[in-house]
Amino acid sequence: TQSTRPQRILGAVQRNATRGDPRSVVRAIDQYCRNQEWAMNVGDEKGCILDSVVSEVNPATVLELGTYCGYSTVRIASLLPPHAKLITLEFNPEFAVIARQVFAWAGLEDKIQLVEGASGDLIPKMKEQFGVETFDLVFLDHWKDRYLPDTKLMEECGLLRKGSVLLADNVICPGAPEYLEFVRSSPRYESQYFKSHLEYTKVEDGLEKSVFLG
Ligand SMILES: C[C@H](C[C@H]1O[C@@H](n2cnc3c(N)ncnc32)[C@H](O)[C@@H]1O)NC(=O)c1cc(-c2ccc(F)cc2)cc(O)c1O
Ligand SMILES: [Mg+2]
C-alpha cells in the first residue's frame, strides 16, 4: 500500500538521523523536504528565526498549535532548559502517530506532551487538565484562520501573562490577514515582523512575533 508523506518523512529520520540527537533529526527532515518532497515544516530558514526567539525567551512553558510531523516541536524542545515543558496540539491522529515517533527518535519524549484534538476545544482545558498557569511562548502554526480566535481564547482563559510571546508562522503565505491586523493594531500587543521565505522555496513568507502587554 502507498505510504503517506508523513510516513516518508519519518523514514528519512530513521535512515539519516542519530537516535537521541535532535539537531540531526531536524537536519534529516530539512534535507528530505528540500531534496525529495516539499512538506509544511517551518523549515531551516524560518527555523533559525524560531531558534533565536526561543533562545531569547528561554521559556519554561511552551504551547505549539499544529504539530504536523513534529519538526518545529523538536526544534523548540532541543533548546529548552532542563525542566521546561512543551505542550503541542494536533487534531489529525495520523500526523500525531508520526510526530510521537519523531520525538522518540530525537529522545525528547520527556519534554514534549502531544495532545490530540482541536485547539478550540483543548485551550479552555489547559489549566485544569494539564496544570498550566500561563505560557511563556506560543508557536502558532495550525489553520491560519484559527490564529486570531485562538489568541482571543488564550487571553480569555488567562493563559497569557504580561510578557508572553506569540510567534506565528505563515503570516504571509498562506497568510493570516485578520490575525496580523489584530496584533499590529491592538494596544495590548507589541508586534515585530521577521521577513523570510516559505519553507524550502523562494516565495516570501515570515514570522510575526507579538509580545502580550497584559
Ligand atoms: C495547519 C497545518 C499544520 C498542522 O496543524 C494541524 N491543525 C490545523 N488546525 C488545527 C487545530 N485547530 N488544532 C490542532 N491542530 C490543528 C493540521 O492537522 C496540520 O497537521 N499547516 C499548514 O496548513 C501550512 C501550510 C503551508 C502551505 C503553504 C503554501 C502552500 F501552497 C500550501 C501549504 C505552509 C505552512 O507552513 C503550514 O503550516
Ligand atoms: Mg507553518
Side-chain angles (χ1 to χ4, degrees), residues 40 66 68 90-91 95 117-119 141-144 169-170 199:
M40 56 186 172
Y68 187 43
E90 175 54 57
F91 76 27
F95 297 162
S119 53
D141 195 20
H142 58 332
W143 287 152
K144 311 317 165 190
D169 188 26
N170 310 119
E199 47 269 28

Side-chain angles (χ1 to χ4, degrees), residues 135-153:
F135 288 107
D136 301 323
L137 174 67
V138 182
F139 182 52
L140 297 92
D141 195 20
H142 58 332
W143 287 152
K144 311 317 165 190
D145 62 5
R146 286 296 315 175
Y147 285 18
L148 182 51
D150 283 347
T151 296
K152 291 180 174 174
L153 189 56

Side-chain angles (χ1 to χ4, degrees), residues 78-164:
S78 72
L79 298 173
L80 294 182
H83 306 292
K85 283 295 289 177
L86 192 167
I87 295 176
T88 184
L89 310 185
E90 175 54 57
F91 76 27
N92 182 315
E94 279 177 41
F95 297 162
V97 163
I98 298 297
R100 291 187 199 283
Q101 295 174 80
V102 170
F103 305 154
W105 198 270
L108 288 169
E109 313 94 302
D110 298 347
K111 274 193 180 305
I112 299 167
Q113 182 171 6
L114 192 160
V115 187
E116 290 182 47
S119 53
D121 302 332
L122 293 170
I123 285 169
K125 298 174 181 168
M126 280 292 138
K127 289 202 184 234
E128 59 181 330
Q129 274 196 2
F130 305 105
V132 169
E133 274 304 302
T134 57
F135 288 107
D136 301 323
L137 174 67
V138 182
F139 182 52
L140 297 92
D141 195 20
H142 58 332
W143 287 152
K144 311 317 165 190
D145 62 5
R146 286 296 315 175
Y147 285 18
L148 182 51
D150 283 347
T151 296
K152 291 180 174 174
L153 189 56
M154 286 187 286
E155 277 188 37
E156 285 157 23
C157 296
L159 288 167
L160 303 180
R161 54 141 175 102
K162 187 174 170 51
S164 289

